[in-house]
Amino acid sequence: MPMQVQIVCLVYPFLTVRDAKVPDPKLFNIQQIETLPVTSAQLKTATNRDPVLSRVLRYTKQGWLSEFPDTLKPYWHRRSELSIEDNCI
C-alpha cells in the first residue's frame, strides 16, 4: 500500500474541527473524506489488503484480543481513539 494511503487511513479518524458547531459530526466526517485525495472505496481496499490495518479494523469492530503481534501495539495503545466510518479506520 502506498505510504500516502496509509497515512490517510491513520489520519482520517482525527479529521475533526474542535470547538466548531457542527450539527452532525458523522455527516461532517463523511464530507471530510469526500475532499481527500483518495476515495473511501480506495481507503477500504487499501485497508483490507494491508495485513496490519485489516487486523486493526477487525479488532476495532469485534474487540481486541488479550494477545496480539507487536506490530499492533501502537494501535492497541490508541484503541479507544479509533473509530470506523464506512469501513475506514
Side-chain angles (χ1 to χ4, degrees), residues 4-62:
Q4 180 182 9
V5 174
Q6 187 171 12
I7 290 170
V8 172
C9 289
L10 298 176
V11 170
Y12 169 67
F14 304 102
L15 291 177
T16 59
V17 175
R18 298 190 190 275
D19 303 321
K21 294 183 180 180
V22 179
D24 184 356
K26 185 174 183 178
L27 178 60
F28 178 77
N29 283 339
I30 291 170
Q31 290 170 341
Q32 282 295 105
I33 198 167
E34 290 173 357
T35 64
L36 294 174
V38 295
T39 66
S40 62
Q42 290 171 313
L43 287 175
K44 284 188 272 190
T45 300
T47 299
N48 289 329
R49 289 182 180 168
D50 185 89
V52 173
L53 291 178
S54 63
R55 291 176 88 176
V56 172
L57 177 67
R58 185 173 66 235
Y59 293 157
T60 302
K61 283 181 176 180
Q62 300 173 356

Side-chain angles (χ1 to χ4, degrees), residues 56 64-66 68 72-80 82:
V56 172
W64 285 79
L65 304 174
S66 58
F68 44 84
L72 298 178
K73 282 188 180 180
Y75 302 95
W76 183 86
H77 288 294
R78 294 197 171 263
R79 68 191 180 281
S80 64
L82 298 176

